[in-house]
Amino acid sequence: MTGSPVVAVAGATGAVGVELLKCLETRNFPLSKLKLLASKRSAGRTMTFKGEEILVDELTDASLKGVDIALFSAGSSVSKQFRAASKTAGAVMIDNSSAFRMEAGVPLVIPEINPEAAKTHQGVIANPNCAAIIAAVPLAPLHRVNPMARVIASTYQAASGAGWAAMKELEDATRAYLDGRPFAQQVLPHPYAFNLFSHNTRIDPVTGYNDEETKVHDEMRKVLGHAALRISATCIRVPVLRAHCEALTVEFERPMSPDEARAILAKAPGVRIVDDIAANHFPMPNEASEQGDILVGRIRTDVSDPSGKTLCLFVAGDQLLKGAALNAVQIAELLV
Amino acid sequence: MTGSPVVAVAGATGAVGVELLKCLETRNFPLSKLKLLASKRSAGRTMTFKGEEILVDELTDASLKGVDIALFSAGSSVSKQFRAASKTAGAVMIDNSSAFRMEAGVPLVIPEINPEAAKTHQGVIANPNCAAIIAAVPLAPLHRVNPMARVIASTYQAASGAGWAAMKELEDATRAYLDGRPFAQQVLPHPYAFNLFSHNTRIDPVTGYNDEETKVHDEMRKVLGHAALRISATCIRVPVLRAHCEALTVEFERPMSPDEARAILAKAPGVRIVDDIAANHFPMPNEASEQGDILVGRIRTDVSDPSGKTLCLFVAGDQLLKGAALNAVQIAELLV
């Protein structure tokens, strides 16, 4: 791609779409034109980009004409629907949905980890699942030094993973709870005020894993290029607005000390160590929110593995930024 | 102990104290007299038991005279201070604090698991840590059939573990957040509104584990009588009011299928299986609250251990009831 591309954001009015605009602006992405696209329902609104009001157009095949980079964040079915039109337009689709992530020939990219994969695209580059990104960014640099054999992840996932409506539902449900008013949830299947629940994706009746957990499993393997990685996730939605946390137990092929891990992580791009034992200060959603790094702390040798090969970590990352919009814009930066 | 004992509740006005009264009432505990004791600051208030107003007296050495069973829930230092007076009074102290749990000669009892240990007491019986109880109740019956080799636990702990004041702080902080007002936390060290953080107990600078995690480690071993159990916990406080959840990865000595585990758990006392894949309905704090069972679900073979020896489970239990007051009253029932 030469010169400044025409960039489209499809799903511009969604929770991730808004962050895509912010990332393009704050990172001063070298675009010649920005097209904002959304469903018919959201079209006609305007959004501000670099002080300019831009009209949101309806996403149609024709709307993609002339686009060089199409950042899609409008769900799997929309991505599938517009894949052909994006290709016809000559655009590279950077897709935030799960539609094409595991498809052979579609690179699944985290720029800190496998930027070279982006070059192999055939019109679509997939942005990984947020829980996979937030675990992979700190684990990849450790894996490069000492390959991982096994990962056990328990997630603490924010409402933002289910979009604006879920974030609003968490706030509304909580306010109702505090006021002693009844509240009927409509977006998520369970009460969310001061409550948590297993991720509400379909569960494979054979394995017992839900789709979110399977995404973490499959996508970690693909992004790390480690098809034999043994990995198990338990994905839980907690009453937090926009940053995910994960408790990670990671077995390496050889012993790895916390100090060795800290030294590697201190130099790792996109990672910030927050591991202050004296102050009891570790990664938290409120500090992970609205910034791009994955926070890593509670770095310690797993006392349940006497071989010294296993570390425990606790990580936090902004689900809307590094878990979605920021990673997508970083992928776009690889193309220009 | 013969006849109906005189029972004292020390720390009666605290979050656990209130639940102790409720448990004694709803379980119709056969007591001849109930004494309510608390700090000087809380003495003079009255509390209702079986429709009767009872004056809260100040906890002093003299106040324990004539008491047969003293249910202590006023913190470790208070338990230590009154241990001798309780012994002099001839009372059995059932202590909810961590003061004596790991002391040789002090039984650490979960009535569903090791009721026989209660008989060996020398004046003090310890009630385990809430996170240990909530994991142990469902794991012990599995362990009895197929010994556990290793447990990895990630907790989702409620505010109630830090008492009334923390529960109120969570509500107040959340209301302030929703109203856009600043809020300065005073009980817990980090903002709690829509936030979570590593358990705020002291961290061992050598191991990197915090005291809550060490309690889970040590107490699970003692309660299960399994000194070689390899166990690692990551303890996290989540913005939930009064029920803890835990994601458990459990390796057994031999393969254990989810169906075998379900059959064992279906008959286990104090356990209720909530594992409805079709309805995406699993253990949640709101359904675990204000009832005595530990809810267990997400029962599946850990895909990261091809031997089939490892299961994943997600559990939830009321921190104030089975995690504290209910277990203590059940211990008292073993004495009468």
Side-chain angles (χ1 to χ4, degrees), chain B residues 15 71 168 325:
Chain B
L71 297 159
K168 184 167 186 316

Side-chain angles (χ1 to χ4, degrees), chain B residues 93-116:
Chain B
M93 175 190 274
I94 299 173
D95 183 31
N96 196 53
S97 84
S98 63
F100 315 119
R101 287 178 189 154
M102 295 310 298
E103 188 177 306
V106 173
L108 185 66
V109 176
I110 300 176
E112 290 87 347
I113 300 176
N114 60 343
E116 69 291 347

Side-chain angles (χ1 to χ4, degrees), chain B residues 11 35 39 42 53 78 81 102 137 149 151 187 190 194 223 249 259 293 316 328:
Chain B
K35 295 181 88 163
S39 65
S42 296
E53 295 288 297
V78 174
Q81 186 186 339
M102 295 310 298
V137 169
V151 176
V187 179
H190 302 292
F194 302 112
V223 168
T249 299
D259 281 347
D293 288 332

Side-chain angles (χ1 to χ4, degrees), chain A residues 228-313:
Chain A
L229 179 65
R230 292 183 287 126
I231 172 166
S232 173
T234 298
C235 290
I236 305 294
R237 284 201 201 273
V238 295
V240 163
L241 287 163
R242 63 174 280 170
H244 288 356
C245 293
E246 303 184 35
L248 302 171
T249 300
V250 189
E251 182 189 334
F252 298 91
E253 285 189 4
R254 303 180 306 276
M256 162 92 84
S257 74
D259 280 347
E260 189 185 351
R262 266 183 217 107
I264 295 165
L265 291 169
K267 290 182 287 186
V271 170
R272 180 149 51 91
I273 296 176
V274 180
D275 202 23
D276 186 341
I277 284 178
N280 215 307
H281 183 205
F282 303 105
M284 295 188 287
N286 69 328
E287 294 186 354
S289 293
E290 305 196 40
Q291 60 81 53
D293 287 332
I294 307 302
L295 314 183
V296 187
R298 298 301 318 278
I299 304 169
R300 63 203 194 278
T301 299
D302 175 359
V303 73
S304 78
D305 177 5
S307 75
K309 290 181 187 171
T310 303
L311 290 182
C312 298
L313 310 164

